[in-house]
Amino acid sequence: MTTVDTTTMAQALNAAMLDAMDADERVVVFGEDVGALGGVFRVTDGLAAKFGDDRCFDTPLAEAGIVGFAVGMAIGGFRPVVEMQFDAFAYPAFEQIASHVAKLRNRTRGQLALPLVIRIPYAGGIGGVEHHSDSSEAYYAHTPGLKVVTPATVADAYSLLREAIDDPDPVVFLEPKRLYWTKSTVQLPVRTEPFGRAVVRRPGTDVTLVAYGPSLPVALDAAAAAVEDGWSVEVVDLRTIVPFDDDTVVASVRRTGRCVVVSEAAGFAGVGAEIAARVQERCFHSLHAPVLRVAGFDIPYPPPMLEHHHLPSVDRILDAFDRLQRDDQPDTRFLALGSAK
Amino acid sequence: MIEFRLPDLGEGLTEAEILDWRVSVGDVVGVDQIVVEVETAKAAVEVPIPFAGTVARLHGEPRSVIAVGQPLISVTTPDEAAGSGNVLVGYGPGAAPSRRRRVARALHPAPPAGESPGVPRVLSPLVRRLAATHAIDIRALKPTGPGDVILRRDVEAAIAEGADDFERIPLQGLRRAIADKLSRSRREIPDATTWVDVDATALVQLKNDLAESCPEAGIGFLALLARICVAGLRRYPELNARVDLDRAEIVRFPHVHLGYAAQTDRGLVVPVIHDAHRLTLADLAGQLRARTEEARQGKLSPRHLTGGTFTLNNYGVFGVDGSTPIINHPEAALLGVGRIIDRPWAVDGEIRLRKITQLSLTFDHRVCDGAAAGGFLRYVADRVERPQTLIAHL
Amino acid sequence: MADRKHDDGWAGLLPSASPVRFLTDSGTPVRGRPAYREPAPELLRAAYRAMVLGRRFDTQATALTKQGRLAVYPSSHGQEACQVGAVLALDESDWLFPTYRESVALVTRGIDPVEILALLRGDAHCGYDPRRHHVAPQCTPLATQTLHAAGLAYAERRTGSGRIALAFAGDGATSEGDFHEALNFAAVFKAPVVFLVQNNGYAISVPLSRQSTAPALAYKGIGYGVRAEQVDGNDPVAVLAVLAEAAAHARAGNGPFLLEAHTYRMAAHTNADDATRYRSDAEVDRWRRRDPIARLEAYLRRRGQLTDEDVAAVAAEAEEYAARLRAAINTDPELAPLGLFDHVFGAPTPQLREQHALLRAELQAEEVPA
């Protein structure tokens, strides 16, 4: 069904599942509260009513159970699209994800493929109490065998979820929960760029700002604010962490000569660190300045009243731009490191 | 949308009758604002709403009865209006500031200089490569960046200095202007040089005689040469010209503005004596003195630096004989005069020591052929050797 | 009193066939005596007061959330008998392992309400000192605290302190793997822990019928060899009676006890939930008629153990409590952003010190007027 409408990201995800279920009766949606309630964020709203209890259903409260059950159903010919209610509540399922979802194709030399999708609302910025704002993407990105996808726009939410459901490989589909209510006028159904393709959301000439998921809005805000300081910022939206689009990112950094990666997850050993290492290695000879990261602190996610100190802000990104060695000014942050105390 | 249900207003109330709405659909209400007056079994009670928002619906007309726990009034909250929706577990997404708040930068302390072992610090891989490409040894550079970081300008300076120890004098200012003019002359003018040795004994004698008889005139060798050149140019006007390429014409001047080379502290200067063809020998000498003094003091006016039609260059003061002079573009000819020294010369069939000098004429071969040039040079040479012939055409 | 069920071997581990109750829905005594000792009148009066106070706290917290002073509040309205019973049946030094819905239990324990609400207000993950109150931080991930309770209880047994632990869990939480592991560990290690399952019929929107097909959740005990019982969770007399027995069982070294209390979540999952999507008003009304406070009040009044003056006094006390809470919550908390780097480890790493310095510099830069 084609509609042109002002749609929220949650509605676009809902439409993607509806269209996918329409197109293929093997697609089933299950998890906690996805049935009658329609999901705590209303992303599965109306699916149970339209397709019945066999296609969209609630499960007992057990995340390992949900994922393990999905593995079995996928082997049995279904295409499960399961929901973990929140990022931190997916952890009980991690063994199933790491040991089985990620490895089954490999262990069986392709005999048992798992075309399943694990949808997880993630990241913060919603004023949520603890365990509701985790950025857990690094755990999945670091587990070979999982595709890790994270839309940042309404159109991508629809398109990437459709593609995830069609993909023969398991996909961890990370939905930036703070963007659930962002609106856009889109014509659905829509197909945007496929997996493995990052997109330049804002062209620029001086610095490449790489972002994904919940950080795209703050990256765009920072790019707009930086005009005042004389920076022309190019913003790249990764869209899929695995598979990673080296080409687009590298082409951009080779043009600009400078790169800042923004990610709200704790910086140490985060996805931002992988991106920075890849850029440094591939673009070394084009770099005017070190590749920088603007990330969350290495602390457990703070209580709601303090989260804004932790999350990458426009100010913090602009401060990173100040370190990009314009006008032959070296970045001095770490020069004193290692000298006599 | 939030529904506010009729609360238990006290003492086991089960229902209430709506007496009077205090708000209408579309009104914005604040927390604890009285929205309705209801009547219970006991009394009329004003009911406050515990949240803020915009009234969406009133669930009952006045005089209708609402049971406790039934919807009383519905409002849309500001959250929803902004599109954030209710969040199950938190305050909801706040509006993050999207412009810079901080004015002051958080600066990092400058690290102590002079303590950087290991690989020399260079601003960026690009700059390091720049140095390598130009075979600059970065270990030999003096870094000017904080923390002993070698900056791009340090490398560029080293490149500019080069790895040699030549003395380099900048080509700028007057020196640059002269260089450009000389280059242009050679580039544009197909010049040829012809020269002749002359016996200047008579001219030297004349100079001495004039010095004795008319000392106030101050007529020197250069003035005499200048007067002879002027006479020569009257006889051979082809050489008092220039080539106008734009109009494809040779322009011959009716006047002689005579330039002459003067060496000053600031370099070679060519003062111009306008209308030299109208001046007597004494006048010429006077002009030469005046212009030369002005040149030495750097006070020559633009008029006396421009407009020349022919140039005379007495480089004999340097102790040399001949040269291939460079025409003073856009003129067509330049006469150079070397030193006057005693040389053996044939006089009346015998070798005598005479005052010999060499005259070199460089001319633009486009304005005339060898006959004219040679004619001019011979003419000048004859006047130098027998100055008394000047009087015939005085 | 002899614990005759315990003497019957494994059959003695099984719960009663129907939930134990002392009171009818209207608060009159049931026919026949349940096999548990009725709590003393003083305890029942104390329970009444605590329940009224707890409900007033709950209502006030709900109102504060609607006013935006709290980020979220999961109400335990209707579950007061369990909330209060769990605390009054235990000693003050026994450990409690609450979930996010146990605020009223924590109020009953005597923790400052502002400290209790810090988690839900959002200024701290846990506002009270767990060691001081022997109450673990309120736990949001489900059933994970049941394992903690089992381990703590085992430690208490090892040290011979005589203390026991009580873990709260909901019907949904009994589906989590950790619940299974906790019961098993507690049984194998004979940990003195009471698992109080408040079966309020829903895990957010998922009804019990979708959660389990066990004849009652109490029957989960037998699988681990754990003694279990089921009780009318809205009958405060029954709840206190059975919990007393459960605590004694554990304290006597007989290992864990699983108690399923049948109750009902009168409000939605939180203020942001819309319960009309998955349950009917008729069902809610049915449970409203089994209100625990009303039933206890009726029971005590009938026995002359509660007078009008008592009721009025308790109500007034509750109002005062609510007013103090309002005033306290309506004052903005003091926030210390630089404290984010404390307590990540015992002592901060060099990287954390560096990040602390960065944030400090940012905050100082912000203080400079433009």
Side-chain angles (χ1 to χ4, degrees):
Chain A
M1 171 162 85
T2 304
T3 56
V4 183
D5 225 336
T6 303
T7 311
T8 66
M9 184 183 280
Q11 288 166 341
L13 294 166
N14 183 268
M17 277 184 278
L18 194 147
D19 291 350
M21 291 168 83
D22 246 345
D24 185 345
E25 62 185 7
R26 297 171 300 171
V27 176
V28 290
V29 170
F30 55 94
E32 295 154 22
D33 302 292
V34 301
L37 188 66
V40 293
F41 292 106
R42 303 291 183 266
V43 179
T44 54
D45 202 21
L47 296 180
K50 180 164 158 72
F51 294 99
D53 243 353
D54 281 346
R55 303 280 308 280
C56 177
F57 51 89
D58 290 332
T59 66
L61 214 163
E63 290 76 14
I66 290 166
V67 175
F69 203 70
V71 170
M73 285 188 74
I75 295 171
F78 285 86
R79 300 183 82 95
V81 179
V82 303
E83 178 178 301
M84 301 282 99
Q85 199 159 85
F86 283 89
D87 35 79
F89 302 151
Y91 299 148
F94 198 77
E95 168 164 46
Q96 286 286 344
I97 293 172
S99 299
H100 296 295
V101 175
K103 292 182 184 176
L104 200 59
R105 175 192 284 277
N106 182 263
R107 296 163 62 208
T108 63
R109 286 201 279 269
Q111 307 279 17
L112 294 182
L114 294 177
L116 60 85
V117 178
I118 303 171
R119 290 180 42 246
I120 310 181
Y122 83 123
I126 58 157
V129 298
E130 49 172 6
H131 311 295
H132 293 87
S133 306
D134 276 17
S135 283
S136 44
E137 67 271 23
Y139 311 139
Y140 306 112
H142 185 65
T143 306
L146 299 173
K147 291 189 176 165
V148 181
V149 173
T150 180
T153 68
V154 174
D156 268 356
Y158 180 91
S159 180
L160 291 174
L161 184 53
R162 290 296 310 264
E163 188 176 348
I165 295 172
D166 289 340
D167 199 301
D169 289 318
V171 177
V172 176
F173 194 85
L174 297 169
E175 301 169 354
K177 63 176 83 74
R178 72 158 103 180
L179 301 184
Y180 273 149
W181 304 278
T182 56
K183 289 185 178 164
S184 191
T185 305
V186 288
Q187 176 165 354
L188 295 181
V190 66
R191 283 298 167 137
T192 59
E193 286 78 2
F195 284 7
R197 195 79 61 79
V199 168
V200 174
R201 294 288 178 207
R202 178 197 164 107
T205 54
D206 300 335
V207 51
T208 300
L209 186 56
V210 181
Y212 58 87
S215 302
L216 182 65
V218 72
L220 290 170
D221 284 347
V227 171
E228 225 172 88
D229 292 345
W231 287 103
S232 162
V233 180
E234 176 150 298
V235 178
V236 175
D237 175 6
L238 282 185
R239 305 167 70 250
T240 61
I241 298 173
V242 179
F244 186 85
D245 184 357
D246 281 313
D247 289 346
T248 301
V249 175
V250 166
S252 174
V253 179
R254 285 193 181 154
R255 275 199 306 277
T256 63
R258 291 176 166 86
C259 182
V260 175
V261 184
V262 56
S263 161
E264 72 176 64
F268 193 90
V271 169
E274 172 67 28
I275 298 169
R278 303 181 83 80
V279 168
Q280 183 272 138
E281 184 175 1
R282 287 161 177 72
C283 305
F284 185 80
H285 304 116
S286 309
L287 291 174
H288 288 293
V291 179
L292 300 179
R293 294 161 293 157
V294 179
F297 294 125
D298 296 326
I299 59 175
Y301 198 90
M305 288 186 170
L306 290 169
E307 72 176 341
H308 61 281
H309 291 292
H310 171 78
L311 293 169
S313 60
V314 167
D315 271 341
R316 230 171 249 167
I317 296 173
L318 293 175
D319 285 349
F321 291 168
D322 287 345
R323 294 174 56 201
L324 291 176
Q325 306 199 141
R326 201 158 49 168
D327 301 326
D328 228 6
Q329 304 261 44
D331 171 27
T332 54
R333 170 151 315 171
F334 296 113
L335 286 180
L337 200 65
S339 47
K341 306 278 185 282
Chain B
M1 180 122 61
I2 296 189
E3 263 172 2
F4 176 45
R5 290 161 179 258
L6 181 67
D8 181 352
L9 294 171
E11 300 172 350
L13 174 81
T14 57
E15 64 186 24
E17 178 183 320
I18 295 174
L19 287 182
D20 178 37
W21 285 107
R22 299 293 171 81
V23 297
S24 315
V25 173
D27 285 353
V28 174
V29 294
V31 170
D32 291 338
Q33 181 174 338
I34 304 296
V35 292
V36 67
E37 193 185 14
V38 300
E39 188 165 68
T40 69
K42 305 254 175 107
V45 178
E46 289 176 332
V47 182
I49 185 168
F51 28 77
T54 305
V55 178
R57 199 164 149 209
L58 305 175
H59 294 272
E61 295 292 304
R63 305 232 69 88
S64 63
V65 173
I66 305 237
V68 167
Q70 291 306 305
L72 183 61
I73 179 174
S74 296
V75 300
T76 52
T77 63
D79 274 348
E80 288 171 77
S84 73
N86 275 330
V87 182
L88 197 63
V89 292
Y91 287 109
S98 63
R99 306 234 26 106
R100 191 190 265 288
R101 293 182 312 253
R102 282 199 293 280
V103 177
R105 306 273 204 269
L107 293 173
H108 302 286
E115 281 188 34
S116 22
V119 176
R121 292 165 162 179
V122 180
L123 185 80
S124 75
L126 280 175
V127 172
R128 200 182 287 271
R129 194 157 72 129
L130 181 67
T133 306
H134 287 86
I136 304 287
D137 182 358
I138 55 174
R139 285 182 305 238
L141 292 181
K142 185 173 174 344
T144 62
D148 287 344
V149 172
I150 294 165
L151 305 179
R152 179 179 277 268
R153 67 182 76 116
D154 300 332
V155 172
E156 284 175 343
I159 292 169
E161 279 170 33
D164 51 51
D165 54 1
F166 304 151
E167 185 190 357
R168 288 174 178 267
I169 301 129
L171 199 62
Q172 60 200 40
L174 181 63
R175 190 184 300 275
R176 177 74 181 262
I178 293 167
D180 287 345
K181 201 151 187 238
L182 294 169
S183 300
R184 188 173 183 194
S185 177
R186 279 280 192 246
R187 192 168 57 241
E188 289 183 12
I189 301 175
D191 54 348
T193 303
T194 179
W195 61 90
V196 67
D197 292 337
V198 297
D199 179 356
T201 308
L203 194 64
V204 171
Q205 185 60 54
L206 177 59
K207 181 181 78 103
N208 294 337
D209 290 344
L210 284 169
E212 204 188 303
S213 57
C214 311
E216 71 289 345
I219 296 166
F221 190 67
L222 187 63
L224 286 162
L225 280 170
R227 188 65 190 84
I228 292 171
C229 279
V230 171
L233 288 172
R234 177 180 291 143
R235 180 76 169 76
Y236 291 92
E238 303 95 302
L239 293 169
N240 189 47
R242 74 176 182 87
V243 173
D244 184 344
L245 282 171
D246 294 335
R247 292 170 65 146
E249 292 171 346
I250 296 166
V251 183
R252 291 188 186 173
F253 302 107
H255 49 263
V256 177
H257 296 328
L258 184 69
Y260 68 98
Q263 195 66 37
T264 70
D265 291 336
R266 287 159 61 244
L268 174 68
V269 172
V270 181
V272 175
I273 297 169
H274 283 256
D275 296 318
H277 62 293
R278 293 222 176 95
L279 298 177
T280 62
L281 181 54
D283 289 339
L284 267 175
Q287 291 280 308
L288 282 168
R289 266 198 309 280
R291 298 289 89 76
T292 303
E293 186 51 36
E294 283 167 12
R296 284 214 188 93
Q297 289 178 17
K299 287 182 180 165
L300 276 170
S301 69
R303 182 166 184 273
H304 290 131
L305 279 166
T306 56
T309 62
F310 185 91
T311 299
L312 175 63
N313 190 351
N314 180 18
Y315 45 75
V317 297
F318 302 133
V320 299
D321 298 316
S323 76
T324 53
I326 301 176
I327 292 170
N328 190 12
H329 184 283
E331 296 166 16
L334 184 148
L335 182 70
V337 183
R339 61 181 174 164
I340 305 172
I341 56 164
D342 291 339
R343 279 201 209 271
W345 197 251
V347 179
D348 297 330
E350 286 184 356
I351 295 184
R352 299 275 172 82
L353 282 180
R354 304 286 280 182
K355 305 261 177 249
I356 307 300
T357 186
Q358 187 171 96
L359 303 174
S360 300
L361 174 72
T362 299
F363 65 99
D364 184 340
H365 217 310
R366 297 172 294 178
V367 305
C368 67
D369 55 19
F376 173 83
L377 187 59
R378 193 64 249 158
Y379 183 96
V380 170
D382 288 341
R383 296 314 156 289
V384 170
E385 289 184 334
R386 288 172 303 166
Q388 60 275 25
T389 56
L390 275 172
I391 298 176
H393 304 281
L394 191 66
Chain C
M1 162 160 320
D3 188 351
R4 66 177 168 80
K5 281 210 169 191
H6 185 67
D7 289 343
D8 288 354
W10 70 262
L13 300 176
L14 290 171
S16 300
S18 56
V20 174
R21 47 163 40 189
F22 277 70
L23 307 180
T24 64
D25 283 356
S26 53
T28 57
V30 298
R31 264 180 231 271
R33 284 190 63 73
Y36 292 89
R37 177 159 44 178
E38 180 168 336
E42 299 77 51
L43 186 57
L44 292 177
R45 279 164 54 85
Y48 171 79
R49 174 181 163 273
M51 286 164 66
V52 171
L53 202 70
R55 176 167 294 180
R56 188 63 190 90
F57 164 89
D58 186 275
T59 318
Q60 185 62 65
T62 301
L64 287 167
T65 310
K66 287 180 183 159
Q67 292 169 4
R69 304 303 302 185
L70 299 176
V72 64
Y73 180 71
S75 168
S76 55
H77 187 114
Q79 300 177 212
E80 291 83 0
C82 297
Q83 294 289 299
V84 165
V87 177
L88 295 186
L90 263 58
D91 296 343
E92 266 191 2
S93 59
D94 291 329
W95 275 82
L96 300 174
F97 286 81
T99 72
Y100 51 82
R101 201 179 294 284
E102 263 67 68
S103 301
V104 170
L106 270 48
V107 166
T108 308
R109 182 68 145 212
I111 302 177
D112 183 304
V114 175
E115 289 183 9
I116 296 171
L117 291 174
L119 166 68
L120 303 174
R121 174 150 75 152
D123 49 296
H125 295 309
C126 178
Y128 51 86
D129 177 356
R131 281 214 182 276
R132 183 176 149 210
H133 298 286
H134 287 192
V135 176
Q138 293 149 286
C139 192
T140 309
L142 296 166
T144 49
Q145 75 282 6
T146 58
L147 273 168
H148 310 159
L152 186 286
Y154 176 64
E156 296 290 0
R157 178 164 97 85
R158 285 278 298 260
T159 58
S161 68
R163 288 193 282 265
I164 68 172
L166 183 145
F168 294 87
D171 42 294
T174 66
S175 294
E176 286 280 14
D178 280 15
F179 181 80
H180 151 78
E181 295 182 27
L183 255 79
N184 198 39
F185 266 72
V188 167
F189 288 97
K190 253 192 162 64
V193 52
V194 175
F195 295 101
L196 175 59
V197 174
Q198 292 169 88
N199 175 1
N200 62 18
Y202 291 90
I204 305 186
S205 71
V206 178
L208 184 69
S209 57
R210 186 48 84 117
Q211 206 61 249
S212 170
T213 58
L217 297 176
Y219 284 95
K220 294 196 175 191
I222 190 64
Y224 307 100
V226 171
R227 171 138 178 236
E229 183 58 282
Q230 54 175 328
V231 70
D232 175 351
N234 282 22
D235 176 347
V237 182
V239 169
L240 280 166
V242 178
L243 272 174
E245 171 107 359
H249 168 95
R251 216 182 295 278
N254 295 315
F257 193 109
L258 171 63
L259 176 60
E260 177 186 5
H262 296 268
T263 180
Y264 195 76
R265 196 193 71 206
M266 295 304 292
H269 173 66
T270 67
N271 53 289
D273 179 34
D274 178 6
T276 63
R277 284 187 162 232
Y278 53 84
R279 60 187 201 181
S280 69
D281 290 343
E283 180 181 274
V284 177
D285 286 339
R286 268 202 307 283
W287 280 90
R288 191 169 286 121
R289 287 193 281 275
R290 295 185 203 158
D291 184 82
I293 297 178
R295 288 161 79 183
L296 184 61
E297 184 182 330
Y299 181 68
L300 290 174
R301 275 183 184 278
R302 190 168 283 116
R303 296 183 34 175
Q305 283 158 355
L306 201 66
T307 66
D308 283 347
E309 289 75 34
D310 295 330
V311 170
V314 167
E317 191 192 341
E319 275 317 306
E320 220 178 306
Y321 186 88
R324 280 201 306 275
L325 175 59
R326 268 199 307 278
I329 293 288
N330 282 327
T331 321
D332 286 334
E334 277 217 25
L335 298 173
L338 290 176
L340 287 175
F341 304 98
D342 301 333
H343 314 302
V344 178
F345 298 102
T349 59
Q351 289 74 25
L352 282 172
R353 279 201 295 272
E354 191 180 283
Q355 292 172 24
H356 179 284
L358 283 175
L359 182 58
R360 188 176 64 232
E362 273 184 11
L363 294 171
Q364 281 168 354
E366 264 167 43
E367 288 162 18
V368 175

